Amino acid sequence: MEKQFSFGINPAAAAPPVSHARFTIGEVVRHRLLELRGVIFDIDPVFANSDEWYDSIPEGIRPSKDQPFYHLLAENSDSNYVAYVSQQNLVRDDSEEPLDHPAIDGIFEGFDDGRYTLRREHRH
């Protein structure tokens, strides 16, 4: 007879929920509420920014932390910048238009079929 041990821990409760990234590095996306387009250059499986940053988002539109967050080289009609956006606020950009962000050439080496190719030195 096999002996089973119980330590009072529910394994399902101990692990954070598993969330899958809907988008990939090099993909061009748009924010679903704001005027913002960007290319994804990194992905956090769950929120990994400061509490101060998170608390600055109005409570009525504050996203859940238990989802992927994306680092974007972003642009709008006024400027280029780096953005940190939750998965729930992104949609695929189907325009197939390249971005005009000055940091793109340092991370990506080409643009084809509406997506960017990561430079070899940045691949894992």
Side-chain angles (χ1 to χ4, degrees):
M1 182 171 182
E2 193 175 308
K3 193 170 189 179
Q4 294 187 5
F5 296 94
S6 174
F7 297 101
I9 298 172
N10 177 350
V18 176
S19 189
H20 298 284
R22 212 179 292 150
F23 306 104
T24 60
I25 291 175
E27 195 166 349
V28 179
V29 292
R30 288 184 300 108
H31 196 286
R32 74 178 178 86
L33 301 173
L34 307 174
E35 181 192 329
L36 171 161
R37 286 179 75 226
V39 58
I40 298 167
F41 70 90
D42 197 11
I43 305 168
D44 293 333
V46 294
F47 179 80
N49 206 334
S50 70
D51 287 334
E52 180 181 59
W53 182 91
Y54 186 76
D55 293 341
S56 73
I57 301 169
E59 194 171 331
I61 62 169
R62 193 175 298 155
S64 165
K65 290 182 176 182
D66 295 332
Q67 64 180 309
F69 275 73
Y70 298 84
H71 299 262
L72 309 175
L73 297 178
E75 64 185 28
N76 61 27
S77 59
D78 297 328
S79 64
N80 297 308
Y81 51 97
V82 173
Y84 191 64
V85 184
S86 65
Q87 181 163 278
Q88 76 185 55
N89 284 320
L90 291 177
V91 294
R92 202 166 269 106
D93 181 272
D94 295 326
S95 71
E96 296 195 19
E97 294 292 322
L99 294 158
D100 190 32
H101 196 288
I104 286 177
D105 289 340
I107 299 174
F108 299 100
E109 63 186 0
F111 181 75
D112 190 35
D113 288 331
R115 68 176 297 114
Y116 287 89
T117 303
L118 196 61
R119 289 187 171 281
R120 183 172 306 282
E121 62 266 26
H122 296 300
R123 296 179 195 164
H124 301 333

